[in-house]
Amino acid sequence: MRKALIIGGGIGGTATSRTAPSASAYGAAHSRRLYLVRESGETCWFANLHRSDEPTRKELAAIPTAQWQRQLRDLFADDLPVINEIVTDSVGDVGAHLVYDIPTSPVWHRGPALLIGDAVHATSPSAGQGVSMAVEDAVILARCLRDAPDTNAASTAYEQLRRPRVERVVAYSKTLSNSKTAGPVARVLRDLMMPIALKLFAGPKSHSWMYTHHIDWNEKVAMHVA
Ligand SMILES: Cc1cc2nc3c(=O)[nH]c(=O)nc-3n(C[C@H](O)[C@H](O)[C@H](O)COP(=O)(O)OP(=O)(O)OC[C@H]3O[C@@H](n4cnc5c(N)ncnc54)[C@H](O)[C@@H]3O)c2cc1C
């Protein structure tokens, strides 16, 4: 099980209000930080930091907000100016929590009990897919319960249909969480390579397996005998 550190905070009140570029949320998928501006001007944000050690809750709580702010400002020094503004303007305590992803879980169901959502495949928030995965699970499970002769067959079919996709998403999200913020040399190389890489790999179809997944509700679920 891999861990990441999520740091979050909020900026309240109109004194620090700002408008987000084009929409109310900015940072988005594939990013290590995200902020959301509410209509009131209140801003909530989080940053996703890779960590190899595993501090306890008590140890995390003992780290002063000013220290987190310094670390985040260094980390995002070359990011959009608004990111550093948000970190600096934050009011109140910054909360830090470890999050874990579950790359694979050997047992998804036993007897009448079955797991869906984070309970069986928690993923880091880096890909922004946790809610979608949980909702897809629910829809697929409903189809299986509708079409299977009994709950055991429904559970088996559900796992067969869901496991490959969710494990792929968890693995993808993990690669995003593990990616380190580029240092000065890496940044120069990245900026040189990016236009070529984007042309080669970032067509509209490159992530379609994840973002345009379609479930046909009316399709009958095929039952495979193990
Ligand atoms: C910081 C952060 C940012 C995230 N950002 C995104 C994002 O941008 N996009 C996205 O898609 N996903 C995101 N996720 C992931 C997403 O929140 C989860 O994948 C999703 O909520 C999982 O839904 P779930 O229903 O499986 O579990 P949960 O949402 O955890 O729901 C489980 C519920 O069960 C309740 N519960 C637990 N034990 C009991 C009990 N014994 N009795 C009764 N109730 C109980 C809990 O209180 C909880 O309400 C993020 C996660 C984190 C931590």
Side-chain angles (χ1 to χ4, degrees), residues 78-134:
D78 296 313
D79 208 321
L80 297 170
V82 70
I83 301 300
N84 264 316
E85 275 172 37
I86 287 173
V87 171
T88 304
D89 289 355
S90 276
V91 291
D93 287 339
V94 165
H97 310 273
L98 282 176
V99 292
Y100 296 83
D101 53 17
I102 302 177
T104 187
S105 175
V107 179
W108 280 38
H109 56 91
R110 183 173 293 148
L114 175 140
L115 300 172
I116 69 170
D118 274 12
V120 69
H121 49 67
T123 176
S124 77
S126 301
Q129 288 296 300
V131 174
S132 303
M133 291 300 106

Side-chain angles (χ1 to χ4, degrees), residues 153-169:
S155 301
T156 304
Y158 155 78
E159 180 180 346
Q160 282 170 348
L161 286 174
R162 291 301 292 152
R163 188 186 270 280
R165 173 165 170 78
V166 298
E167 291 187 352
R168 188 177 178 193
V169 171

